[in-house]
Amino acid sequence: MSYIFEIAAEPLRALPRAPLTAQVARALKLRVEQYSREQLPGLWRISDQLRRLPKAPDAVLEKRRRRARIWAALCLALGIFAFLSGAMVPTEPVLVVVGAAAIGMSVARLLNIKSTRVPFRYAAGQMIDKLFSFTEGATLRVTFSDNEMALVKIVAGVSQGREAIPYSDFEYTIETDDLYLLSYVGFGTVLPKICIPDAEAESFRAFLASITVLLHP
């Protein structure tokens, strides 16, 4: 059985951009965390142990600041790792962006600089901007067959080229409330759930779980 997403300007109008951006940001964060867990299991064991520690009482301000600095240092290490990994491998541009964002946020926290910028928000915003850039008459058809995912851009009924990604290139798929983020060889594709028939939603989710690692933020 094949599955087809038809991504076009008209159905996308029903989707609010801000919540979608937040969902993609969470998905990107999970993608980087999953990747770094595989590469740095020892560091993440320390991180998980810190997460299990009880929160310090409000009165113990110094303990709270110390814990915050530990988290910032950990985030800085992960950010540097992601940035360098992406810089050394041209097929990992997402790692460069999210690594740079993590480094900036960590340095700001270590220097006690307050910031309202959300990690991964910039990369997520770029992906959502690209998703909403479709003009009237343009459609991106994403087809899942037995062996590959094919992306075909159609303008005024005419195919503008075809890109095929074999499932062996898939890394992770992150499912959020309104979309799927498919990660493959350092790139990502956002598929809004509104662009697939409701009757196929459950079987498509099972299909994704059979061809890749399906994660949830």
Side-chain angles (χ1 to χ4, degrees):
M1 181 178 181
S2 63
Y3 298 92
I4 299 176
F5 280 75
E6 296 276 356
I7 303 176
E10 185 173 352
L12 291 177
R13 292 196 191 100
L15 299 175
R17 295 183 63 153
L20 286 183
T21 301
Q23 290 178 40
V24 173
R26 290 196 299 271
L28 289 174
K29 179 181 178 182
L30 180 58
R31 188 264 186 192
V32 172
E33 177 180 326
Q34 187 72 15
Y35 179 82
S36 64
R37 279 183 180 274
E38 295 176 359
Q39 302 299 317
L40 300 169
L43 186 60
W44 275 101
R45 280 194 293 271
I46 297 174
S47 172
D48 292 336
Q49 290 173 1
L50 288 174
R51 287 179 176 178
R52 289 192 291 269
L53 291 176
K55 292 184 178 179
D58 292 339
V60 190
L61 298 179
E62 184 57 33
K63 289 185 178 180
R64 293 177 61 187
R65 286 194 291 268
R66 187 180 302 117
R67 181 176 297 176
R69 288 195 293 270
I70 292 173
W71 275 108
L74 176 61
C75 185
L76 178 60
L78 293 175
I80 292 173
F81 172 77
F83 182 85
L84 293 178
S85 298
M88 290 186 294
V89 183
T91 58
E92 291 284 349
V94 173
L95 284 180
V96 174
V97 175
V98 298
I103 291 171
M105 292 292 295
S106 301
V107 171
R109 188 67 184 90
L110 288 170
L111 297 178
N112 202 27
I113 301 174
K114 294 184 178 180
S115 174
T116 59
R117 301 187 67 179
V118 179
F120 310 102
R121 177 76 69 168
Y122 177 74
Q126 287 188 315
M127 298 184 76
I128 292 299
D129 287 344
K130 182 178 180 180
L131 180 67
F132 279 82
S133 66
F134 286 94
T135 58
E136 295 295 336
T139 300
L140 177 65
R141 178 175 295 159
V142 184
T143 304
F144 293 84
S145 60
D146 291 337
N147 303 309
E148 65 182 17
M149 176 181 74
L151 296 88
V152 179
K153 186 174 183 179
I154 303 171
V155 180
V158 179
S159 174
Q160 301 294 310
R162 182 179 185 273
E163 179 184 4
I165 297 96
Y167 297 142
S168 58
D169 286 348
F170 278 38
E171 298 166 342
Y172 317 104
T173 296
I174 299 97
E175 180 184 9
T176 69
D177 291 340
D178 301 306
L179 54 85
Y180 294 100
L181 174 65
L182 280 67
S183 173
Y184 47 89
V185 290
F187 294 89
T189 295
V190 175
L191 299 179
K193 292 182 178 180
I194 197 174
C195 296
I196 190 173
D198 291 339
E200 300 179 5
E202 288 300 324
S203 61
F204 178 69
R205 184 179 294 109
F207 171 75
L208 284 178
S210 70
I211 63 172
T212 184
V213 179
L214 185 60
L215 304 172
H216 299 85

